[in-house]
Amino acid sequence: MTESWDRSPSKVAVVDDDPAIREVLRELLHEYGFLALPCHGSEELLELEELESLDLAIIDLKLDGESGMMLAQRLRASFNFPIILLTGTGDEVDKIVGLETGADDFLMKPFNPRELIARIRAVLRRYKRVVPAERASPAPQASAAAPVNTSSTLLGDLTFVSEERRLLDANLREVNLTNSELRLLEFLIDNPNRPINRVELLEHLGGDLSRYMDRTVDVLILRLRRKIEPNPSKPLFLQTRRGKGYVFALETT
């Protein structure tokens, strides 16, 4: 498999109501070969001529007017570019809820410039990876997920390749997963056929363990089911166990 990259610089929108932060990010992105498009807030971003061709949006969580979280949710509903949220609060609740909206990563201010660049490259690589469009061998009908080999897991017509951290469809095209969806799927695959409650899942995801965060897991499960289940309303793989949590149904030999 190969990666195909456009020779033109990746276009990165920087949405922050602090002009100093916008300028710092603009200079940093320029230094590393990206084209930065600074925006004061959501309205300025949505009016960008380049909006349809954006490669990435970096959004401050605490914007004036419409919050960064709400903006990320709107973008995720209409566009397919990755989103990185920035915050200065360190609030775990903000982090988990932000990832629920469909953001691909979350970074605390003040951040290490090299770490930000590394995360930008990582999410762009996930979204821009190109795989051959040849037909894969038909997947056998199964009532549960089945292991393909030590590094792959078969989910009906989908295959999760553990070493590459990628979910592929029957045509070997990548199914986009947000960072939280990817981590959740990996954890469930590593812990098959046993009930896992919300507290354990939240601990793995790094979330607040208060009772108010129970819905966080439910929302992530729902989103993941929509991507891996033939019929999300009647899940074969990611099953609910009333009073116990969730089970990833994995066939073993």
Side-chain angles (χ1 to χ4, degrees):
M1 297 182 184
T2 60
E3 293 182 4
S4 175
W5 295 85
D6 193 323
R7 292 183 179 181
S8 60
S10 295
K11 288 177 280 191
V12 180
V14 176
V15 189
D16 198 302
D17 51 24
D18 185 334
I21 295 293
R22 292 200 302 272
E23 181 60 21
V24 166
L25 288 174
R26 187 194 67 78
E27 292 181 357
L28 175 66
L29 291 166
H30 177 74
E31 179 182 350
Y32 282 87
F34 298 96
L35 175 61
L37 301 169
C39 302
H40 177 270
S42 61
E43 290 186 8
E44 193 170 342
L45 171 68
L46 296 173
E47 291 174 358
L48 281 178
E49 291 182 3
E50 299 89 349
L51 183 60
E52 294 285 347
S53 59
L54 273 185
D55 295 294
L56 171 73
I58 300 173
I59 303 173
D60 181 49
L61 196 62
K62 306 296 183 182
L63 294 173
D64 289 337
E66 183 178 34
S67 71
M69 197 172 297
M70 291 299 297
L71 176 58
Q73 194 168 19
R74 290 177 62 188
L75 292 173
R76 179 55 66 234
S78 303
F79 301 96
N80 194 37
F81 51 75
I83 298 168
I84 295 177
L85 292 176
L86 301 179
T87 181
T89 65
D91 191 332
E92 287 290 344
V93 175
D94 279 348
K95 179 177 179 180
I96 295 298
V97 175
L99 292 174
E100 278 184 10
T101 68
D104 296 271
D105 210 343
F106 206 102
L107 196 60
M108 275 280 300
K109 295 179 182 177
F111 49 81
N112 182 301
R114 290 187 178 181
E115 181 181 3
L116 175 60
I117 294 299
R119 295 198 186 196
I120 289 172
R121 286 174 171 164
V123 294
L124 286 178
R125 189 174 295 114
R126 279 220 319 270
Y127 273 70
K128 288 196 170 185
R129 191 185 301 271
V130 176
V131 295
E134 59 190 47
R135 187 75 182 176
S137 300
Q141 294 292 326
S143 59
V148 178
N149 53 45
T150 56
S151 62
S152 298
T153 301
L154 193 64
L155 303 169
D157 289 336
L158 304 176
T159 302
F160 183 73
V161 185
S162 298
E163 292 180 357
E164 299 180 13
R165 305 186 76 200
R166 301 171 66 208
L167 182 64
L168 305 178
D169 67 13
N171 293 319
L172 299 183
R173 292 174 301 199
E174 185 167 6
V175 177
N176 286 329
L177 297 173
T178 66
N179 183 59
S180 53
E181 291 165 354
L182 175 61
R183 291 174 60 199
L184 177 60
L185 180 58
E186 288 177 322
F187 182 73
L188 292 169
I189 288 175
D190 289 341
N191 294 272
N193 302 322
R194 73 172 181 88
I196 304 173
N197 61 35
R198 291 180 177 87
V199 171
E200 185 175 356
L201 288 173
L202 282 170
E203 285 177 341
H204 175 72
L205 294 169
D208 187 321
L209 301 183
S210 74
R211 62 187 177 89
Y212 300 106
M213 295 303 295
D214 281 357
R215 291 297 298 168
T216 295
V217 171
D218 295 338
V219 171
L220 285 176
I221 292 287
L222 178 61
R223 279 175 31 200
L224 190 56
R225 278 176 175 160
R226 288 172 178 167
K227 295 185 178 182
I228 69 171
E229 297 284 356
N231 183 354
S233 64
K234 297 180 179 179
L236 297 176
F237 315 123
L238 224 175
Q239 301 176 5
T240 301
R241 292 289 186 270
R242 187 175 297 275
K244 295 182 178 180
Y246 299 96
V247 170
F248 185 77
L250 178 67
E251 287 186 346
T252 58
T253 56

